[in-house]
Amino acid sequence: MDKHIDTLCVQAGYTPKNGEPRILPIAQSTTYKYDSSVAMGQLFDLEAEGYFYTRLQNPTNDYVAAKIAALEGGTAAMLTSSGQAANFYAIFNIASAGDHIISSSAIYGGTFNLLNVTMRKMGFEITFVDPDCTEEELEAAFQDNTKCVFGESISNPSLNVFDFEKFANAAHRHGVPLIVDNTFPTPVNCRPFELGVDIVTHSTTKYMDGHATSVGGAIVDSGKFDWDAHADKFPGLTQPDDSYHGITYTEKFGDKAYITKATAQVMRDLGSIPSPHNAFLLNLGLETLSLRMERHCANAQKVAEYLAANEKISYVSYPGLPGDKYYERAKKYMPKGTCGVISFGVKGGRDAATKFMDSLKLAAIVTHVADVRTCVLHPASTTHRQLTDQQLEECGVFPDLIRLSVGIEHAEDIIADIQQALGTL
Ligand SMILES: *Cc1c(COP(=O)(O)O)cnc(C)c1O
């Protein structure tokens, strides 16, 4: 029987054999020893499974990737050194210069820049769509060279809840996979693979690590997308790879083809592997993920309700708040809760927002989001600084928007801090 996610958080991935360390060991080694060159040669040809160089694979990293694959209910996963690398690799694994990508416009600022600036420079065509567009508008975005559709399950920082059904149907009608960044709700609160998503990405830097110790990312494959049914669109997976003596990934690796190619080709050549020590820290975070998400959501609910009832607040966005634009959709797709992030505006605009933030004592001003400590950020002057006002609006980031990441302290202490800071306005 499948275990509950709480159990998988604690136990999945590393299972020690008789006499082995109970806790995930850190394989702090770049290299692996073999008795013969023939044995090692087989590894280089992908003819045998095993470790030969940590840029490609490392046992500690693989155990943590296996845990994340189990949490998402996927067939395989790969860790990367950052969420940025995860999103880039997830797309680059199946698309190249001259190909077209459709992305929701309500996404993390870093991902928006990756697509809109860097990937355009590399020769990709990108079309951004409003995630709440009509089916017809979404349909009109597809081209013959479209290779995937991208979105965020809950967008950072605008807190748009993704319309999974609409995007999955459109992507599959056009024979391309749907890739969703599931960083904010985590697999504890959102199950993208049960909602039609084919590939999930994460910035593990956020709730998964949870303690703000390590930047990292992950890519997980559902194993469900039928690459061979659309072989002409995905030659990298369905045609022989010359850099491995002509193996064909889908033929040789079946429902692990996508992650095997990402590891053997993209990671081999671009090399954004996390350090095994960071993977160890990520695993410690994952052990308490379900417990922490419960408290993050319970606290955020109380804080959002407090803010919504306060006359100094101009608006509050939190998908768990009745009346929120995404309340019904969140109930449908994330019945256990959403995340601990709330965005809101203070009456008096940008200046009042700054004064409020500077007056907080418990909540710190940091770039980070989604760890155990309550923190705040003003996206328009920090993470989204490079964007024009029109781009900001397209991302759902208003100039007076404050992003509050509610931690796991006692809710009464968090609210008391907000109350005293509002008192200075
Ligand atoms: C932070 C974040 C990223 C980027 O991840 P890094 O680990 O900072 O590289 C991508 N997507 C989302 C939703 C994020 O919040």
Side-chain angles (χ1 to χ4, degrees):
M1 194 190 83
D2 280 348
K3 303 267 193 315
H4 292 89
I5 194 148
D6 320 70
T7 308
L8 296 176
C9 282
V10 182
Q11 299 266 2
Y14 173 66
T15 311
K17 298 189 191 72
N18 190 41
E20 286 183 348
R22 180 66 192 96
I23 304 309
L24 172 67
I26 305 177
Q28 195 69 46
S29 181
T30 59
T31 43
Y32 305 84
K33 183 218 169 239
Y34 287 90
D35 289 339
S36 77
S37 341
V38 173
M40 186 172 265
Q42 285 173 339
L43 299 176
F44 274 88
D45 278 352
L46 302 183
E47 283 303 329
E49 272 187 52
Y51 296 95
F52 52 107
Y53 191 52
T54 284
R55 169 150 46 75
L56 281 104
Q57 279 185 289
N58 169 282
T60 307
N61 294 358
D62 279 1
Y63 284 125
V64 182
K67 176 177 280 189
I68 294 175
L71 294 179
E72 287 287 2
T75 54
M78 179 176 91
L79 297 189
T80 58
S81 58
S82 69
Q84 287 298 109
N87 281 326
F88 175 58
Y89 287 15
I91 297 171
F92 191 64
N93 197 33
I94 49 168
S96 44
D99 287 340
H100 174 246
I101 316 295
I102 297 171
S103 172
S104 159
S105 59
I107 53 173
Y108 173 68
T111 314
F112 189 85
N113 269 316
L114 167 67
L115 292 162
N116 192 46
V117 180
T118 301
M119 289 183 71
R120 279 195 209 278
K121 273 189 205 161
M122 291 173 158
F124 288 88
E125 286 181 62
I126 319 285
T127 299
F128 289 102
V129 293
D130 180 334
D132 293 320
C133 66
T134 63
E135 281 180 30
E136 292 70 31
E137 285 166 332
L138 181 54
E139 192 64 31
F142 283 86
Q143 304 179 5
D144 289 343
N145 58 344
T146 303
K147 292 298 167 74
C148 66
V149 179
F150 181 86
E152 289 179 6
S153 48
I154 299 179
S155 63
N156 174 10
S158 57
L159 305 177
N160 177 303
V161 176
F162 197 60
D163 190 339
F164 287 92
E165 218 171 297
K166 178 180 72 187
F167 277 88
N169 287 342
H172 296 156
R173 245 193 329 269
H174 289 271
V176 300
L178 174 60
I179 305 178
V180 167
D181 181 332
N182 197 30
T183 297
F184 265 24
T186 82
V188 172
N189 284 341
C190 181
R191 318 287 309 152
F193 293 155
E194 292 164 23
L195 304 172
V197 173
D198 303 289
I199 291 148
V200 158
T201 60
H202 281 281
S203 166
T204 62
T205 317
K206 314 295 164 54
Y207 289 115
M208 283 192 163
D209 170 89
H211 301 77
T213 70
S214 315
V215 174
I219 307 172
V220 192
D221 182 16
S222 66
K224 287 187 203 151
F225 191 82
D226 190 350
W227 307 104
D228 284 319
H230 310 283
D232 53 326
K233 279 192 201 293
F234 306 106
L237 281 159
T238 60
Q239 306 276 316
D241 179 356
D242 289 338
S243 67
Y244 285 107
H245 304 299
I247 63 158
T248 299
Y249 291 98
T250 48
E251 197 180 286
K252 192 160 173 68
F253 300 104
D255 64 5
K256 291 188 173 63
Y258 173 89
I259 290 294
T260 305
K261 178 179 180 290
T263 305
Q265 219 180 51
V266 186
M267 189 59 88
R268 178 196 63 186
D269 295 351
L270 300 179
S272 308
I273 198 91
S275 84
H277 186 257
N278 278 10
F280 174 83
L281 292 173
L282 168 58
N283 187 58
L284 276 188
L286 288 169
E287 290 179 356
T288 57
L289 180 67
S290 71
L291 209 53
R292 286 185 288 107
M293 288 313 288
E294 222 174 282
R295 174 66 79 89
H296 278 295
C297 291
N299 278 357
Q301 188 68 32
K302 289 178 190 154
V303 172
E305 283 166 13
Y306 168 81
L307 290 171
N310 193 295
E311 58 180 21
K312 291 187 175 167
I313 302 298
S314 48
Y315 62 88
V316 184
S317 295
Y318 185 65
L321 210 52
D324 187 86
K325 188 177 174 195
Y326 298 108
Y327 179 75
E328 294 301 332
R329 199 182 286 166
K331 274 266 168 296
K332 177 174 162 193
Y333 291 135
M334 302 161 198
K336 282 165 74 179
T338 53
C339 64
V341 184
I342 299 172
S343 62
F344 64 95
V346 180
K347 282 183 189 160
R350 204 181 257 255
D351 291 345
T354 312
K355 179 151 193 232
F356 165 78
M357 286 175 57
D358 293 351
S359 307
L360 290 165
K361 295 193 170 85
L362 187 75
I365 299 174
V366 300
T367 305
H368 200 245
V369 61
D371 73 77
V372 291
R373 291 158 213 89
T374 297
C375 59
V376 282
L377 175 82
H378 186 230
S381 59
T382 54
T383 48
H384 289 62
R385 203 182 176 86
Q386 277 79 17
L387 306 191
T388 63
D389 277 1
Q390 197 197 329
Q391 285 173 332
L392 279 176
E393 204 161 299
E394 280 167 15
C395 294
V397 180
F398 302 103
D400 65 341
L401 183 147
I402 295 170
R403 183 182 73 186
L404 174 69
S405 173
V406 180
I408 62 170
E409 305 93 340
H410 199 290
E412 284 172 17
D413 294 333
I414 301 168
I415 291 171
D417 188 36
I418 294 170
Q419 194 165 18
Q420 67 78 23
L422 285 173
T424 66
L425 300 181

